[in-house]
Amino acid sequence: MTVSLTIENLSAHYGQTQVLKDLSISVAAGELVSLLGSSGCGKTTTLRIVAGFLQPTSGHVRLGDRDLTTLPAHARDIGLVFQNYALFPHLTVQDNVAFGLKQRGINAADRAKRATAMLERVGLANLTDRLPGALSGGQKQRVALARALVIEPPLLMFDEPLSNLDAKLRVDMRVEIRQLQKANGTTSLYVTHDQEEAFSISDRVAIMNAGRIMQLDTPEVLYQKPANAFVARFVGFENLIPMKTVARDGAIVTVEAAGGARLHLSQDVFGPIKDDFVLATRPDGLVVRSQGEGIPATLGTRTYLGRAYQYKCETAAGEITANGALSEMFEPGANAVLVPVAEQCCILNPEA
Amino acid sequence: MAARIHPLLGAFAILVFLFLLAPLVIIVGASLSDTTYLTFPPQGLTLRWFWNIFEISAFRNTAITSFQVAILGTGLSLLIGIPAAYALNRYRIGLPKWLGTLFILPILVPEIVFGFSLLKSVTIGMGLPIYPSLIIGHALLVLPYSVRVVGASLASFDFSVEEAAISLGCPPLKTFLTVVLPNIRAGVIAAFILAFITSINDVSISVFLTGPGISTLPIQILAHMEQFFDPTIASVSVLLMLVTVGVMAIVEATLGLTFLTK
């Protein structure tokens, strides 16, 4: 049974502070959507409202055709995986996993059978009699995962489930979580502040800021075509350069940056280009050259990145970070040109 | 590899232990003395002062009252204290800071003042009989132990465990009883023991709340001492010590003593 999750016009307040502003998301049946953002952006608040631990000021939460908004937390039938595992310290691994089944009135024999089967799936079949205190972090999170999955919830939610694990384990666990989630086809909401984690595990990612969703899209689109300056900066487009269109010739548009540097951009590559826009680039998207069509710059600090040199550059359009080839090293103070690489640039409309 | 201990430190430690234990040894010795007055070292050995306790009905009756009051008063204080400690920890951010201090007032206010105000309000003001007044008085007296000791247990309890249980379909009250309570069990037992011992030993509150026909053991000991200076008092004290040792032995056998000092 897979159902969709719909969050409609959710607003929430802590005292006088509004932490969610008219937030809407829908997660399709079987889909995994991540809420990604820095602390205080409202991602955890959203999760806690869906779980029923917080009440929204306004808005609705629907799971399939059930309206959860006023339902008490224990009646929502949602599997939750917590950052700090939240295992029952006084129960064995087996009893931890069987807990949810017990609440559903399932008899002891079936409970044991299903808990054991689930523990086998997460690779802990040999630890059933241990207490949580005797487990490693990764094992604890596997128990937590098994405990949430065994009740076969229509919705799974993860609250920063990997942030207490070390880097290597984090990567292994997120692959495992994704495999289990896909195999079960469980609709899932995943909260994290780790961009790589969100992009690698999700069908779609919602980038959040100050209680709003800035963009909700597939990782590919977010990474290549951010919709606004916030998302662009978030996914690494460090340089945001305001531009003006000065001439159009078919698909080719001549644009000018502050200071008069001119570039020719193809609408076949960038899509429709407006009269005023922002050219967003990653450091890789501007190549430091001695000559060519680009933005004139005076080079500052040089950093060796292994695959390239990175320079802090002074230009008439402001400070820009750009990369240069290893074969052509520039000294600080040198004059150079920053040549855009179309695939590493994108075009943003100026903020309202 | 044993750490080397400075001889002076060792001597000092022995002195401290002597200071702590010597009075107890003296009491035990005095209780066995075959004299009609308290003396140490004992002159002759007898158990007759122990039998004497059981022959004096006032000791019997007040001991029963003391135990009843201690158990009921401590129980009542836990009934109030556990939910209070839970609320103070669970909703710490939303509550004013002074609220927690409110619950340790019975320790801060001089006991004699506290006892007198209880007499004025409970016994005289509300006109309650002596027995319920005593229980209420003792419950309030030991409430700080319930709130603080259970609170210390709750402070290290991860409340997301509670949320995990609720998300798995366990209603809040059942979650408290089956998930929270088992995890703060040590704190509850420690609170019970501390509160029970405090209540059993209390004089200042009880002296105001006892009355004709109903008294507690410590009050009876005082009353007896005013009239007789015989080793009975020492014998009662030894028995009270044995009760405490017994409680500790049960704790050690079931939970291990370390949890009391945690």
Side-chain angles (χ1 to χ4, degrees), chain A residues 48 53 73-75 77-78 80 82 84 86-90 96 99-100 103-104 147-148 151, chain B residues 90 157-158 160-172 174-175 178-180 182-183:
Chain A
R48 293 179 63 78
F53 299 138
H74 68 270
D77 203 17
I78 293 172
L80 259 171
F82 295 81
N84 47 3
L87 299 179
F88 307 124
H90 62 301
N96 260 278
F99 187 90
Q103 306 310 318
R104 282 158 179 74
R147 184 179 66 176
I151 59 170
Chain B
R90 183 78 174 85
F157 179 75
D158 176 6
S160 61
V161 169
E162 188 188 30
E163 291 182 342
I166 291 172
S167 79
L168 289 165
C170 197
K174 190 178 171 198
T175 297
T178 61
V179 175
V180 182
N183 283 300

Side-chain angles (χ1 to χ4, degrees), chain B residues 89-234:
Chain B
N89 278 279
R90 183 78 174 85
Y91 306 106
R92 195 179 308 154
I93 297 157
L95 295 172
K97 284 199 174 70
W98 52 262
L99 204 60
T101 319
L102 199 67
F103 287 96
I104 56 166
L105 274 183
I107 285 183
L108 298 180
V109 174
E111 277 187 38
I112 209 100
V113 175
F114 189 54
F116 178 67
S117 66
L118 279 171
L119 173 71
K120 278 289 278 180
S121 56
V122 179
T123 314
I124 299 170
M126 295 163 67
L128 281 184
I130 290 168
Y131 194 72
S133 301
L134 258 179
I135 291 170
I136 291 172
H138 278 237
L140 287 174
L141 170 73
V142 301
L143 186 59
Y145 297 99
S146 299
V147 175
R148 300 299 285 192
V149 179
V150 174
S153 254
L154 280 164
S156 58
F157 179 75
D158 176 6
F159 283 99
S160 61
V161 169
E162 188 188 30
E163 291 182 342
I166 291 172
S167 79
L168 289 165
C170 197
L173 183 61
K174 190 178 171 198
T175 297
F176 181 80
L177 296 174
T178 61
V179 175
V180 182
L181 215 46
N183 283 300
I184 58 166
R185 190 184 61 146
V188 173
I189 295 172
F192 185 91
I193 290 167
L194 285 174
F196 183 85
I197 291 171
T198 306
S199 169
I200 273 279
N201 287 326
D202 176 72
V203 172
S204 334
I205 304 286
S206 308
V207 87
F208 284 101
L209 298 179
T210 48
I214 299 180
S215 190
T216 64
L217 188 55
I219 303 294
Q220 170 59 26
I221 291 172
L222 280 178
H224 185 88
M225 239 176 64
E226 281 168 6
Q227 294 170 27
F228 315 94
F229 198 64
D230 62 24
T232 311
I233 300 301

Side-chain angles (χ1 to χ4, degrees), chain A residues 221-243:
Chain A
V221 170
L222 288 171
Y223 199 75
Q224 286 154 23
K225 295 258 177 284
N228 49 59
F230 181 86
V231 176
R233 282 208 185 85
F234 200 90
V235 298
F237 289 88
E238 286 180 35
N239 307 309
L240 299 181
I241 310 163
M243 296 271 180

Side-chain angles (χ1 to χ4, degrees), chain A residues 85-102:
Chain A
Y85 324 120
L87 299 179
F88 307 124
H90 62 301
L91 297 180
T92 62
V93 165
Q94 172 89 16
D95 288 342
N96 260 278
V97 176
F99 187 90
L101 299 172
K102 197 174 176 184

Side-chain angles (χ1 to χ4, degrees), chain B residues 213-256:
Chain B
I214 299 180
S215 190
T216 64
L217 188 55
I219 303 294
Q220 170 59 26
I221 291 172
L222 280 178
H224 185 88
M225 239 176 64
E226 281 168 6
Q227 294 170 27
F228 315 94
F229 198 64
D230 62 24
T232 311
I233 300 301
S235 311
V236 174
S237 308
V238 170
L239 279 188
L240 277 178
M241 271 160 57
L242 288 178
V243 168
T244 310
V245 169
V247 170
M248 290 303 175
I250 293 169
V251 170
E252 170 64 15
T254 52
L255 298 158

